[in-house]
Amino acid sequence: MAAAAELSLLEKSLGLSKGNKYSAQGERQIPVLQTNNGPSLTGLTTIAAHLVKQANKEYLLGSTAEEKAIVQQWLEYRVTQIDGHSSKNDIHTLLKDLNSYLEDKVYLTGYNFTLADILLYYGLHRFIVDLTVQEKEKYLNVSRWFCHIQHYPGIRQHLSSVVFIKNRLYTNSH
Amino acid sequence: MRLFVSEGAPGCLPVLAAAGRARGRAELLISTVGPEDCVVPFLTRPKVPVLQLDSGNYLFSTSAICRYFFLLSGWEQDDLTNQWLEWEATELQETESLADIVLWGALYPLLQDPAYLPEELSALHSWFQTLSTQEPCQRAAETVLKQQGVLALRPYLQKQPQPSPAEGRAVTNEPEEEELATLSEEEIAMAVTAWEKGLESLPPLRPQQNPVLPVTGERNVLITSALPYVNNVPHLGNIIGCVLSADVFARYSRLRQWNTLYLCGTDEYGTATETKAMEEGLTPQEICDKYHIIHADIYRWFNISFDTFGRTTTAQQTKITQDIFQRLLTRGFVLQDTVEQLRCEHCARFLADRFVEGVCPFCGYEEARGDQCDKCGKLINAVELKKPQCKVCRSCPVVQSTHHLFLDLPKLEKRLEEWLGRTLPGSDWTPNARFITRSWLRDGLKPRCITRDLKWGTPVPLEGFEDKVFYVWFDATIGYLSITANYTDQWERWWKNPEQVDLYQFMAKDNVPFHGIVFPCSALGAEDNYTLVSHLIATEYLNYEDGKFSKSRGVGVFGDMAQDTGIPADIWRFYLLYIRPEGQDSAFSWTDLLLKNNSELLNNLGNFINRAGMFVSKFFGGYVPEMVLNPDDQRLLAHVTLELQHYHQLLEKVRIRDALRSILTISRHGNQYIQVNEPWKRIKGSEADRQRAGTVTGLAVNIAALLSVMLQPYMPTVSATIQAQLQLPPPACSILLTNFLCTLPAGHQIGTVSPLFQKLENDQIESLRQRFGGGQLEETFDLKAKTSPKPTVIETVTTAGPQQIQALMDEVTKQVCSLSPVGDWTS
């Protein structure tokens, strides 16, 4: 989805009633937010982090130095790896890596829900929606994480709910 | 924590410089690795630099690592830094502030050569110089570049995957999700030329023959589907495995104007039929008559285009089978042997293993069955049971020696190998068929018993064997021949004509040995120039939701039930073909059926075809408008042509599932094309705009016409509907060429356009079922499954009422969604 739409979605998820106006810049339509008390802010993850602070939910950016760095790492991953690549091979490599990463984690940072989970959910939605039953089973951890995030109160909004069949159909796809 | 760096990797510059910030805060070890080393366990591609934290986590983003070091030193995150870093990550690819450091590293390769920067950018230059003279930066540069300057970076950079072009490029007709092949000018020109020739390219339609017979000089395609066993209603797995798959290919074959005969029938002899007859109190013949009709009706409903659907219980079957047998006998390929079997005097028959019960000779269990003891699990021969009893009448059977005939497969092995050696290479035998055949051969063929002590079967024409019949699997494959013989007395022109006939045999993988080994051996041994299978097409198994279809337990959707759901046959066809179990087992899922119908059929295919037709009706009074093709349109023509040719290549090789996706891809191109060109807006614009709207509409509706023909093998009724709506000229409806033609030229009048597909909703399924009066149900629905803790909700659907279907769907949805928050997903 377009960046401006995503940011509006994020505003609602964060419980912000404001409804900021976003403009777009450049060939790639990077979102720009004109703030009242400062220079404009450019960039999806930058604006997202700003909104989080506005909503007084800074814990979504991480609590420890390590957690903060990890959150930012995945935000960067979102705008470079996920938005930047859309070939089938790239997506599958990406899903494979994520699946491996999520093997022992509930959320991207481990045990805490953060902005990284939200933006990766929004960013991956268009790919997950097209996965076959077999692929969802292949990327079992991603499916588990995705299914979990989409049920998080207030996150999914108008995005379509992706169905995950709980029962294993393909027994040799571990 | 440990920092992994590599010589020549540019990201190492900033992290080493930033590491200085963290000095004193944490212990930092530095390791050097090669640029190809995968340090991070969950990343497929090698990445450097990487920071392994004490917690075990990894930071593999250069700027995240730098950020971490700064955070450790007490720095607080701010918007401006975030902005610069995001810009660096997305735009540059690859301050002493954090932003300064990271940018310095990123720009180093460019800026370290002072001659590189133009004069005007002196501010940038002096900023760079200031940083470069800082001690950490100098040391970092030295570590990574080692006196070689930026050349040190080259080997690393060369190995990185190419960055994709920016996502928001100018919108063209090409959809962004698919990787499109680059087209050459020639390909585009050829596509346009073919398009312009239009309807006159179509060859004359071949006259319909009846009966269909091979014609010398033409391609003659003989297609068989494995004969369904008569005394059971086929389930979806049987249907997709055999008749439906063969039907798609048969229809395609006719669209290609190949001389095609598609035959099938019910397999009626055998133990199971006799048993069923006893249960229902009818004669075997009556059972077969009753069930044959049920089968025929179901396949008719599914629109299976058999040229003939016969039976194996005919005089021709006896004649041909006995003939083959005699020839095998006289050529010495039949062995005789004595076998000890249990015979029930009371029932006057030899008992198959499943009809004997007794005391296990090993463990003493009293209800051991004739082939295996349920208690100790050991395999036993029925004759070894102590105190055996006939399960039907409970009397004690006696052991009797009985003669049987065996087909000497070992003696025929060499011929079989030779034939396979000629047939397999370059053919379209499916991989599983090849594998199964090879395994049987590798294990060594053994003589197979071809007779049984039964009454219901083809009689054995040999003295001493008057009370025996041929084993059903010996004569079932001969059934194809006798069914043809009942269709035309010139059947030998198909079945004894290997030079001119291409035989495609469709089946599920459990039938492979009989079609790939036993019958070919019989035919080769009979030495009568029999046509043997050229392409053996075997599918894997279709499962039902989370279990298997089970005739005996009544699990799964059966042929006549599909009709009762009110979902049209074509939708069933589409979905089953979409999930056709080719390389491996697949599963039928109600939810998936809904999803595929609503997404692929409704939103993709239906949406495109409907829109194209509607625009012609609404904006151009029902007449196809003038089309003036610009280069983008021509490129679209070429892309569609490519996909069409892909479709042909796939279907020729019987890759039915993949070819279906080609259709959906073209439809997606079509939707994109309309979306981008917005004819509904342009029609209200200037003369030039209106002409553009006309071209786009015309081209779109021609794509719709093409799709209708490509779709015919899969969804024949929908195909005919589209063709009627568009009034596609008849020759174009029955022939599919390898080029995309303009079949609806400017001025062609179309008919009334209406939506092709309905959205499927949960409650819709329920109300449709009620409307079709599916209320007369005898079997009660077993609700045991619902109370079990495991997700086996769909397990015992037999002929469930609408309430139960709704409850089931809710249950499934609930189970999928009711996840506890902490990783309990797999319970």
Side-chain angles (χ1 to χ4, degrees):
Chain A
M1 68 185 120
E6 184 170 350
L7 287 168
S8 303
L9 199 57
L10 181 63
E11 282 174 6
K12 293 203 198 88
S13 303
L14 291 172
L16 287 170
S17 53
K18 229 112 46 95
N20 288 313
K21 225 24 176 103
Y22 299 101
S23 47
Q25 126 181 332
E27 209 190 42
R28 263 191 274 170
Q29 304 291 285
I30 313 278
V32 181
L33 171 64
Q34 197 63 45
T35 61
N36 298 337
N37 44 2
S40 63
L41 280 182
T42 310
L44 179 73
T45 66
T46 304
I47 297 176
H50 175 82
L51 290 174
V52 161
K53 282 182 283 194
Q54 260 195 327
N56 275 322
K57 296 192 171 163
E58 272 200 74
Y59 58 85
L60 287 178
L61 295 176
S63 318
T64 61
E66 177 175 324
E67 209 177 16
K68 290 176 187 172
I70 292 181
V71 169
Q72 289 296 336
Q73 168 167 278
W74 290 106
L75 292 182
E76 180 186 313
Y77 190 87
R78 157 70 209 274
V79 291
T80 54
Q81 302 302 315
I82 298 180
D83 291 352
H85 296 77
S86 48
S87 82
K88 280 227 137 192
N89 275 338
D90 287 339
I91 297 304
H92 282 280
T93 305
L94 202 144
L95 288 174
K96 178 163 165 278
D97 288 353
L98 267 177
N99 194 54
S100 184
Y101 179 71
L102 289 170
E103 177 84 31
D104 58 352
K105 297 178 187 62
V106 180
Y107 302 101
L108 284 167
T109 56
Y111 293 105
N112 295 320
F113 176 70
T114 62
L115 181 63
D117 297 290
I118 303 180
L119 286 193
L120 246 81
Y121 163 71
Y122 288 150
L124 286 171
H125 186 274
R126 64 192 171 109
F127 300 116
I128 305 290
V129 124
D130 278 340
L131 291 183
T132 63
V133 171
Q134 185 174 10
E135 284 165 336
K136 284 179 203 159
E137 211 172 291
K138 181 171 169 197
Y139 305 117
L140 200 61
N141 300 317
V142 177
S143 296
R144 161 185 47 82
W145 166 83
F146 191 92
C147 191
H148 185 51
I149 302 302
Q150 82 176 349
H151 285 99
Y152 216 89
I155 297 300
R156 183 168 70 86
Q157 302 280 345
H158 70 268
L159 291 178
S160 59
S161 179
V162 181
V163 175
F164 296 93
I165 296 187
K166 202 171 175 183
N167 311 308
R168 293 276 180 96
L169 302 177
Y170 301 93
T171 52
N172 42 355
S173 64
H174 290 294
Chain B
M1 51 187 164
R2 185 177 293 270
L3 179 65
F4 295 91
V5 295
S6 173
E7 277 177 42
C12 301
L13 286 168
V15 302
L16 285 171
R21 279 292 177 128
R23 209 163 293 150
R25 310 292 178 144
E27 199 198 317
L28 178 67
L29 301 162
I30 302 188
S31 299
T32 310
V33 293
E36 297 284 83
D37 291 340
C38 291
V39 175
V40 184
F42 55 82
L43 289 180
T44 306
R45 303 213 179 95
K47 198 137 193 334
V48 172
V50 169
L51 181 65
Q52 183 181 20
L53 301 160
D54 293 327
S55 63
N57 280 323
Y58 290 89
L59 289 176
F60 54 84
S61 146
T62 303
S63 56
I65 296 174
C66 296
R67 185 188 289 263
Y68 178 65
F69 287 140
F70 271 69
L71 282 167
L72 275 185
S73 74
W75 171 76
E76 302 232 347
Q77 306 197 95
D78 64 86
D79 284 339
L80 195 54
T81 310
N82 287 346
Q83 185 166 278
W84 274 112
L85 290 181
E86 186 172 353
W87 178 81
E88 188 267 340
T90 53
E91 305 284 340
L92 286 189
Q93 298 185 33
E94 306 186 82
T95 45
E96 300 255 346
S97 72
L98 169 58
D100 277 308
I101 295 288
V102 175
L103 272 161
W104 170 82
L107 290 171
Y108 188 91
L110 290 176
L111 298 182
Q112 54 82 44
D113 177 2
Y116 188 82
L117 264 189
E119 296 279 326
E120 310 86 83
L121 298 179
S122 55
L124 182 57
H125 181 76
S126 51
W127 164 84
F128 184 77
Q129 283 298 98
T130 313
L131 271 177
S132 299
T133 50
Q134 305 272 324
E135 203 225 333
C137 296
Q138 277 192 335
R139 270 199 279 123
E142 222 176 74
T143 312
V144 176
L145 300 175
K146 289 207 170 4
Q147 312 299 335
Q148 288 174 349
V150 289
L151 283 179
L153 299 173
R154 193 166 5 133
Y156 179 87
L157 287 170
Q158 277 177 339
K159 296 203 174 72
Q160 297 309 303
Q162 290 282 40
S164 317
E167 232 202 7
R169 63 192 155 166
V171 176
T172 63
N173 288 344
E174 279 103 14
E176 273 161 23
E177 326 96 284
E178 264 124 24
E179 282 200 88
L180 298 170
T182 41
L183 295 169
S184 68
E185 287 301 318
E186 280 176 304
E187 284 174 314
I188 300 180
M190 275 177 17
V192 175
T193 317
W195 159 268
E196 282 166 356
K197 280 230 205 100
L199 287 166
E200 55 173 66
S201 314
L202 289 174
L205 202 56
R206 295 177 72 254
Q208 258 292 40
Q209 274 183 61
N210 194 10
V212 182
L213 291 168
V215 175
T216 319
E218 287 194 14
R219 181 158 185 213
N220 301 299
V221 177
L222 178 58
I223 301 172
T224 68
S225 157
L227 308 179
Y229 206 58
V230 74
N231 69 352
N232 273 309
V233 178
H235 60 63
L236 298 179
N238 303 134
I239 293 172
I240 182 60
C242 310
V243 297
L244 182 52
S245 296
D247 188 50
V248 172
F249 188 70
R251 287 174 177 275
Y252 174 71
S253 181
R254 293 182 195 119
L255 276 180
R256 292 296 300 270
Q257 299 271 79
W258 298 332
N259 199 19
T260 309
L261 176 64
Y262 175 28
L263 63 96
C264 188
T266 41
D267 178 22
E268 304 191 347
Y269 286 132
T271 317
T273 308
E274 263 197 13
T275 316
K276 189 88 182 215
M278 279 187 347
E279 279 173 28
E280 295 200 16
L282 300 168
T283 65
Q285 184 66 50
E286 285 169 337
I287 288 281
C288 290
D289 292 341
K290 168 177 165 186
Y291 280 95
H292 172 86
I293 295 177
I294 293 178
H295 275 268
D297 285 343
I298 290 173
Y299 303 134
R300 194 172 308 122
W301 185 79
F302 273 97
N303 262 315
I304 309 293
S305 63
F306 302 122
D307 289 289
T308 175
F309 184 73
R311 312 170 62 157
T312 53
T313 46
T314 62
Q316 286 284 14
Q317 173 75 355
T318 305
K319 183 162 163 230
I320 299 174
T321 307
Q322 291 185 341
D323 172 57
I324 291 182
F325 170 71
Q326 287 291 6
R327 298 179 71 100
L328 285 169
L329 187 64
T330 50
R331 285 161 182 75
F333 293 117
V334 178
L335 304 168
Q336 280 198 35
D337 207 350
T338 312
V339 175
E340 287 203 326
Q341 273 187 283
L342 287 173
R343 181 182 161 79
C344 178
E345 310 273 54
H346 183 254
C347 302
R349 60 199 204 120
F350 279 95
L351 300 175
D353 288 340
R354 61 168 115 166
F355 290 122
V356 187
E357 213 174 64
V359 177
C360 175
F362 298 106
C363 73
Y365 180 59
E366 292 195 355
E367 284 170 47
R369 284 180 294 117
D371 51 357
Q372 185 180 32
C373 173
D374 282 338
K375 191 162 176 224
C376 68
K378 288 212 168 65
L379 295 175
I380 44 184
N381 290 317
V383 293
E384 296 168 335
L385 284 172
K386 298 192 162 72
K387 299 203 243 174
Q389 281 188 340
C390 166
K391 267 182 111 148
V392 177
C393 70
R394 293 283 143 196
S395 62
C396 183
V398 293
V399 176
Q400 266 197 26
S401 297
T402 163
H403 279 5
H404 276 297
L405 295 169
F406 291 77
L407 182 57
D408 198 345
L409 290 178
K411 207 165 167 194
L412 290 159
E413 196 168 329
K414 192 149 159 285
R415 290 188 203 203
L416 183 72
E417 289 264 25
E418 273 168 12
W419 167 71
L420 284 172
R422 289 194 307 270
T423 306
L424 287 183
S427 72
D428 296 319
W429 278 55
T430 48
N432 51 1
R434 292 173 195 252
F435 178 76
I436 292 172
T437 309
R438 286 262 149 258
S439 326
W440 270 54
L441 283 170
R442 194 192 55 228
D443 291 345
L445 298 181
K446 301 183 186 42
R448 277 195 86 74
C449 184
I450 55 171
T451 49
R452 284 291 182 276
D453 293 285
L454 287 178
K455 294 189 185 54
W456 181 241
T458 307
V460 179
L462 193 61
E463 206 179 300
F465 288 86
E466 295 81 3
D467 54 346
K468 298 190 206 303
V469 298
F470 283 112
Y471 176 39
V472 65
W473 265 118
F474 174 69
D475 76 335
T477 39
I478 301 176
Y480 300 123
L481 284 69
S482 71
I483 289 172
T484 314
N486 282 304
Y487 167 72
T488 167
D489 49 15
Q490 295 188 66
W491 65 275
E492 286 168 320
R493 288 177 55 188
W494 282 109
W495 287 102
K496 293 188 186 173
N497 191 0
E499 311 292 304
Q500 298 190 333
V501 173
D502 261 338
L503 174 56
Y504 285 80
Q505 297 202 292
F506 285 77
M507 67 199 73
K509 66 179 176 186
D510 55 356
N511 288 350
V512 170
F514 305 103
H515 291 74
I517 300 200
V518 179
F519 179 68
C521 280
S522 310
L524 288 167
E527 292 172 0
D528 209 356
N529 199 30
Y530 281 106
T531 305
L532 294 175
V533 59
S534 318
H535 310 279
L536 209 164
I537 315 293
T539 54
E540 299 285 320
Y541 295 132
L542 179 72
N543 293 316
Y544 182 74
E545 296 285 344
D546 62 341
K548 293 206 173 285
F549 286 88
S550 167
K551 294 176 186 169
S552 51
R553 285 188 296 130
V555 173
V557 180
F558 292 81
D560 51 0
M561 283 161 62
Q563 216 166 333
D564 288 342
T565 62
I567 296 170
D570 271 13
I571 308 294
W572 286 102
R573 286 178 65 116
F574 172 79
Y575 181 60
L576 289 173
L577 290 164
Y578 196 95
I579 61 173
R580 182 171 182 258
E582 293 182 0
Q584 58 187 90
D585 292 358
S586 65
F588 173 87
S589 147
W590 280 107
T591 320
D592 202 26
L593 170 60
L594 278 188
L595 287 175
K596 290 294 173 290
N597 179 78
N598 293 349
S599 61
E600 295 290 359
L601 289 182
L602 197 62
N603 293 346
N604 179 13
L605 194 59
N607 182 38
F608 169 64
I609 295 179
N610 189 245
R611 278 205 291 181
M614 287 303 293
F615 291 155
V616 175
S617 300
K618 265 173 57 177
F619 304 144
F620 299 97
Y623 291 88
V624 175
E626 286 285 339
M627 295 169 268
V628 177
L629 306 182
N630 70 17
D632 279 339
D633 300 329
Q634 293 178 340
R635 248 195 305 273
L636 179 65
L637 272 188
H639 275 303
V640 171
T641 304
L642 247 153
E643 202 61 53
L644 170 62
Q645 286 167 352
H646 199 213
Y647 166 93
H648 278 295
Q649 284 158 6
L650 290 169
L651 268 184
E652 279 174 26
K653 300 225 148 278
V654 204
R655 291 197 24 212
I656 295 178
R657 219 177 139 161
D658 292 336
L660 180 55
R661 281 160 180 68
S662 281
I663 298 177
L664 298 172
T665 301
I666 293 184
S667 164
R668 227 170 287 142
H669 281 322
N671 267 322
Q672 189 79 9
Y673 179 61
I674 292 185
Q675 209 55 33
V676 158
N677 285 289
E678 298 177 326
W680 64 88
K681 278 197 195 152
R682 297 211 197 216
I683 193 69
K684 302 182 187 145
S686 66
E687 181 60 50
D689 279 338
R690 281 202 298 278
Q691 192 193 66
R692 187 75 200 124
T695 301
V696 171
T697 302
L699 190 43
V701 84
N702 268 282
I703 295 178
L706 173 67
L707 286 174
S708 77
V709 190
M710 291 172 77
L711 203 53
Q712 200 256 62
Y714 294 86
M715 306 176 79
T717 310
V718 170
S719 165
T721 307
I722 301 171
Q723 289 169 350
Q725 290 188 3
L726 297 180
Q727 291 287 295
L728 187 61
C733 296
S734 317
I735 303 178
L736 187 63
L737 296 182
T738 50
N739 279 311
F740 175 28
L741 311 172
C742 178
T743 49
L744 303 178
H748 171 89
Q749 187 179 20
I750 67 170
T752 321
V753 172
S754 56
L756 296 165
F757 303 110
Q758 305 267 19
K759 186 168 182 207
L760 283 182
E761 320 254 18
N762 290 350
D763 27 16
Q764 190 178 346
I765 290 184
E766 188 186 329
S767 74
L768 283 173
R769 281 213 48 159
Q770 284 181 343
R771 203 175 86 204
F772 280 76
Q776 283 72 36
L777 309 166
E778 291 146 35
E779 282 141 297
T780 51
F781 174 62
D782 183 3
L783 286 163
K784 258 197 279 179
K786 281 185 85 170
T787 57
S788 83
K790 285 167 31 153
T792 51
V793 181
I794 314 286
E795 197 180 299
T796 52
V797 172
T798 50
T799 43
Q803 307 293 36
Q804 287 101 337
I805 295 270
Q806 182 60 44
L808 282 175
M809 302 227 44
D810 289 342
E811 196 69 20
V812 170
T813 317
K814 248 198 306 173
Q815 285 199 4
V816 167
C817 297
S818 65
L819 305 169
S820 55
V822 186
D824 194 15
W825 203 75
T826 52
S827 66

